[in-house]
Amino acid sequence: MSKPETKPLAQIRNFAIIAHIDHGKSTLADRLIQTCGGLEEREMSEQVLDNTDIERERGITIKAQTVRLAYTAKDGIEYQFNLMDTPGHVDFSYEVSRSLASCEGSLLVVDASQGVEAQTLANVYQALDNDHEIVPVINKIDLPAADPEKVKAEVEDVIGLDCSDAIEASAKTGAGIEELLEKIVTILPPPKEGDADAPTKALLVDSWYDAYLGVVVLVRVIDGYLRKDQKIQFMSNKAVRIIDRVGMFTPKKVELDALGPGEMGFITASIKDISETNVGDTITDEKKPCESALPGFKPSIPMVFCSLYPADAGDFEKLRDSLGKIRLNDASMHYEMESSQALGLGFRCGFLGLLHMEIIQERLEREFDLDLIPTAPSVVYKVNLTNGEQIELYNPVDLPDVVKIESIEEPWIKATILVPDEYLGGLLQLCQDRRGVQIDLTYAGGRAMLVYRLPLNEVVFDFYDRLKSISKGYASFDYELDGYGENDLVKLEIRVNEEPVDALAMIVHRSNAESRGRGMCERLKDLIPRQMFKIAIQAAIGGKIIARENVSALRKDVTAKCYGGDITRKKKLLEKQKKGKAKMRQYGNVEIPQSAFIAALKMGDE
Amino acid sequence: MNNKGRLGLYIHWPFCLSKCPYCDFNVHVRSAIDYGRWQDAYLKSLDYYATIMPERLLGSIYFGGGTPSTMPPELVGAIIDKARSIWPCSNDVEITLEANPTSIEMEKFEAFKAVGVNRVSIGVQALNDKDLKFLGRAHSADEALKAIDIAKGVFEKFSFDLIYARPDQTLEEWRTELEQAKQLAGGHLSLYQLTIERNTPFYYSHQQDIFSLPNEDLAADFYGLTQDVLDDALPAYEVSNHAAEGHESQHNLNYWYNGEYVGIGPGAHGRIWQDGVKCATRDHHAPDAWLERVEGQGHGAHPYQQLGQDDLAMEALMMGLRLREGLSLKHLAEQSGGDWAAYIDEAKLKTVINEGWAVQKEEALTLTREGLLRLNAILPYILTTEGPHRKTAR
Ligand SMILES: Nc1nc2c(ncn2[C@@H]2O[C@H](COP(=O)(O)OP(=O)(O)O)[C@@H](O)[C@H]2O)c(=O)[nH]1
Ligand SMILES: C[S@@+](CC[C@H](N)C(=O)[O-])C[C@H]1O[C@@H](n2cnc3c(N)ncnc32)[C@H](O)[C@@H]1O
Ligand code: SF4
Ligand SMILES: [Mg+2]
């Protein structure tokens, strides 16, 4: 077979754009695409790489994106750039690490008016772990508040990155973009290895489901070629497929004959289900396989769990289908059917983090038009039983009887918070209240850098919102998981007329149990409408009642006037009430509308 | 005490001289009304019902509103004559007209009597001027007393309405007012707790906390006090209606017994039997559209809706349980096609009985005073979630 014509390694640059959220990654990518002529002026929309509505609306990139650009440098040579825009949020740091593994360099975008933030740090460290060459880009120099010199000093100071080659740019006005393109050629390295004659070896960077093409696989070729009609094998599961399309994004989808060493692009191979395509897998030739697989990635593990119930029980099947469709594109989301006495049939779902959870709930509601009842988010506990066994607890309801429990371990995180001095006190208090353990407190460029160990459980509630409100939005936050630790954890149970409400059960630290329990009882008291019988609401730990409230019995509810003209209207109301009873749950002799529990769950923690 | 099996005729007159801020009836204020045109329309509608509902015995006619006492007596008379010419009726036919106690209207009482009205229901609402003003009424307490006095002299039967449980009203004030009403009453009183209806001026001022109503406990006490004061002479035969033996409103009882009635006029509802199926009728709501419809098609009704056994059983429960005599279980069985147990959860009914809210005797299910107070909660509680859901009755 003749060798396809692909770029020599020396003319390829694969790089990622990394930054704290909103520092301008996507806008910079737009500018690079535009300058290299990837899209005509009229085709440019803002943040062309953010594909989904939610990405555009929230201004966040969720999926890593790649584009190939052709750039003719001052040396007269045309280079091939493969650019990746990466997600900026902690929840998706796993996607970031994957993207970084397929490149040799990074553009580190730092907002010239904001400076280094928590995710700047987290991303830089990941890039350095992947041996990246890094070009700092001090962006948004057009802003009046921009102070590029100060920010450069901060980058040198806090990160320890040499800024003599840093570029001052504005992704908005285009200032500095020419210079940046040259620096990409001169400073970032070409792919290190790559043997055109060796057996095919390619990294599976990502995959997603496309309604027309089936599963689209994003690849980075190491050795050899990927060509149309080639029979390939996925090394992890030995699956064999025939490539039916090879191509690249410019960002338009363009088909090619082949992808060669060092190049990035996509293939399709009549794959129906993304679960067949394991991210980090090695793709090779079926007949002439390579000797060893690439090191691959750790699989992503869901850290935050919550249950999702359809508000209308009739939507259960629709919810199941919708979760299935989302999972087609997002293998990091897990779900399993469960049933709750209070809320009916639903799913226990696992997410990478809180934002991931929110985004999926939003997609279910918007794209799939579902009305959902989410339960309070929870984490995965490890429960050591007296018989020596250890179980993983995904739902507080499943906690075994206290007498069978030796101890409970909860996941911890190491959090890095950057915050202007004036808000430091408030944040220290917040971390303290959330059972945090201080590890480090340093100053850099007028800001404090706080490192804390915190139980993840305390963060999943509303830590991020509190952090933002205490610091008026100026604090930034990032975290990594930091093992499990034993603690004095208890199951807080809410009972209505002596019967536990499963959806409201939670695991809390003993020191917080009473205030949480009292808060929940008070909330329910306001939410449960008066009924013919008195309703007792209690919070309990083990068998012990720690808080109680009563909803007193209704004394009068009768329509004063009911004549011939009123019958139809009143009957409709009664029919509605009668139907509504299907959504009621029986607790002792009272029926509580599901909506009361939903509201209690929605009111959050405060 | 009843007229069972006879037809009721409801005539809706949709006009008032001014609109009261609590009222959500289908009411319009007009400076000029073409009475001739309205008369033609009512009579034409009656002709229509004459053709589809022959062979009925007329038990009652009720002129409601709106303010029917603003109708010219000749118009009232023409309608009565027409109805009587269509349906035979006995000597005891009850012909009620709602009246507002302003001077112009009470002067017409004799004339109404002359054209056949034999009962008036006067909208007194309160017996003191301060509360009348709050309620936005166009008459004074003195005028109301005078109207009652005239009605007493003119009609063999009359009733008046009061609205109580008003903002800031105390139990003692109400007791005094009620004692006075008891003295003034003929054989019948309608006593309604003030209800805030959606989209009325009161609805908005209540939402803005401009005034507040007695809370639930006090409202229950108001109701209890009302029963205590009237139980000996004018006991409640329905949630809000009190009468001396033999003075119950025949027309309204027919609603609570799920009887047959024709409703004519803007927004009027009816329940009529057609080809062995009970149907709900509803006249067009807007006065002018109603007139045009009648002139065009001979009647002002939307297409009928056939009622299924589920509907009939529900209506029987909703209406029958409002009565002191309770709901006849035989009647419920007829309406529900025999298996009324399919509509009522027996265990729940037992709970309700044990709580002292209801009594079940062989022939009737009756709510106690405490039960009546909770009717809106008891109904959905005892209803089963799954009825048999039959499409139409036999
Ligand atoms: N003034 C100014 N605004 C910019 C510049 N670059 C990006 N922005 C704005 O900053 C916001 C965040 O940009 P985006 O590219 O979405 O950031 P990302 O979250 O890092 O992808 C958007 O409102 C951009 O329009 C710049 O150079 N100057
Ligand atoms: C059709 S209305 C009015 C009859 C007549 N137009 C009048 O105002 O006297 C019949 C009765 O319903 C009662 N009513 C109307 N709206 C009410 C409300 N919002 N709350 C309590 N009673 C009400 C009044 O007592 C009124 O007399
Ligand atoms: S209460 Fe009577 S007078 Fe007042 S608006 Fe209603 S119908 Fe008319
Ligand atoms: Mg972005």
Side-chain angles (χ1 to χ4, degrees), chain A residues 371-399:
Chain A
D371 201 359
L372 294 178
I373 309 163
T375 62
S378 168
V379 300
V380 184
Y381 296 94
K382 290 184 177 164
V383 183
N384 299 308
L385 303 178
T386 43
N387 68 5
E389 258 180 71
Q390 187 186 62
I391 57 168
E392 292 197 338
L393 184 73
Y394 292 92
N395 191 338
V397 177
D398 301 331
L399 189 72

Side-chain angles (χ1 to χ4, degrees), chain A residues 530 532-533 554-564 567-568 571 574-575 577-578 581 591, chain B residues 192-193 216-217 221 240-241 255-256 261 271 311 314-315 322 348 372-373 376 380-381 383-384:
Chain A
R530 263 181 152 192
M532 291 192 294
F533 310 98
L554 165 147
R555 266 198 72 198
K556 176 186 173 285
D557 183 8
V558 58
T559 310
K561 273 185 288 105
C562 192
Y563 298 97
I567 303 180
T568 305
K571 187 175 65 190
L574 189 59
E575 263 159 9
Q577 287 173 322
K578 192 172 134 164
K581 291 215 301 186
E591 284 159 339
Chain B
Y192 306 107
Q193 293 208 352
E216 195 185 302
D217 290 327
D221 292 342
S240 304
N241 283 281
Y255 295 141
W256 299 314
Y261 54 95
R271 288 287 183 278
D311 292 301
M314 292 261 261
E315 293 186 1
R322 297 182 67 84
K348 299 223 169 115
L372 278 178
L373 264 178
N376 290 358
Y381 180 73
L383 280 178
T384 54

Side-chain angles (χ1 to χ4, degrees), chain A residues 560-561 563, chain B residues 10 12 15-16 20-25 27 62 64-69 98-101 121-125 137 139 160-164 190-197 200 202:
Chain A
K561 273 185 288 105
Y563 298 97
Chain B
Y10 177 76
H12 190 77
F15 302 111
C16 291
C20 309
Y22 53 84
C23 179
D24 75 336
F25 285 89
V27 162
Y62 196 100
T67 311
S69 50
E98 280 181 342
N100 283 25
S121 166
I122 308 171
V124 171
Q125 320 307 5
R137 299 294 292 183
H139 58 88
F160 63 87
D161 297 349
L162 292 176
I163 295 178
Y164 72 109
S190 299
L191 306 168
Y192 306 107
Q193 293 208 352
L194 176 59
T195 310
I196 302 302
E197 305 285 358
T200 58
F202 269 13

Side-chain angles (χ1 to χ4, degrees), chain B residues 178-295:
Chain B
L178 188 57
E179 296 282 7
Q180 190 190 351
K182 190 177 170 184
Q183 297 311 313
L184 293 167
H188 193 281
L189 277 180
S190 299
L191 306 168
Y192 306 107
Q193 293 208 352
L194 176 59
T195 310
I196 302 302
E197 305 285 358
R198 280 188 89 81
N199 298 326
T200 58
F202 269 13
Y203 180 75
Y204 299 107
S205 30
H206 182 248
Q207 267 193 335
Q208 290 162 28
D209 281 331
I210 293 171
F211 65 80
S212 58
L213 293 181
N215 64 28
E216 195 185 302
D217 290 327
L218 183 54
D221 292 342
F222 265 108
Y223 189 80
L225 170 66
T226 306
Q227 312 314 309
D228 290 344
V229 171
L230 296 181
D231 261 351
D232 57 347
L234 293 167
Y237 66 101
E238 189 262 359
V239 174
S240 304
N241 283 281
H242 297 253
E245 179 82 45
H247 282 259
E248 299 85 359
S249 160
Q250 296 305 313
H251 185 82
N252 291 338
L253 273 177
N254 188 44
Y255 295 141
W256 299 314
Y257 289 148
N258 312 107
E260 191 180 27
Y261 54 95
V262 168
I264 296 177
H269 287 246
R271 288 287 183 278
I272 60 173
W273 285 93
Q274 288 291 291
D275 303 325
V277 178
K278 199 170 191 188
C279 301
T281 71
R282 186 167 52 94
D283 270 15
H284 201 285
H285 214 251
D288 298 311
W290 181 81
L291 280 176
E292 279 161 27
R293 274 193 184 221
V294 177
E295 287 160 0

Side-chain angles (χ1 to χ4, degrees), chain A residues 73-95:
Chain A
K74 297 233 166 72
D75 59 13
I77 299 173
E78 192 194 85
Y79 289 84
Q80 179 192 112
F81 288 175
N82 291 301
L83 168 164
M84 298 194 85
D85 184 9
T86 57
H89 192 277
V90 287
D91 282 2
F92 305 104
S93 59
Y94 178 72
E95 300 239 0

Side-chain angles (χ1 to χ4, degrees), chain A residues 19-21 23 90 110-111 113-125 150-151 153-160 414-428 430-431 440-452 454 463-464 466-479:
Chain A
H20 189 77
I21 187 159
H23 281 201
V90 287
V110 185
D111 187 320
S113 66
Q114 304 284 316
V116 174
E117 296 288 3
Q119 283 151 39
T120 318
L121 283 174
N123 286 331
V124 169
Y125 293 142
K150 183 176 156 217
V151 170
E154 207 174 89
V155 171
E156 296 202 331
D157 202 25
V158 181
I159 308 179
K414 196 169 105 189
T416 304
I417 301 167
L418 270 95
V419 59
D421 223 11
E422 56 214 283
Y423 308 115
L424 179 63
L427 281 191
L428 286 170
L430 175 67
C431 291
D440 202 9
L441 172 57
T442 50
Y443 287 88
R447 282 184 305 173
M449 186 170 100
L450 254 181
V451 182
Y452 252 88
L454 286 155
F463 184 82
Y464 192 67
R466 299 281 304 134
L467 173 113
K468 284 289 176 194
S469 81
I470 290 171
S471 67
K472 302 213 161 61
Y474 285 111
S476 63
F477 165 74
D478 199 274
Y479 69 80

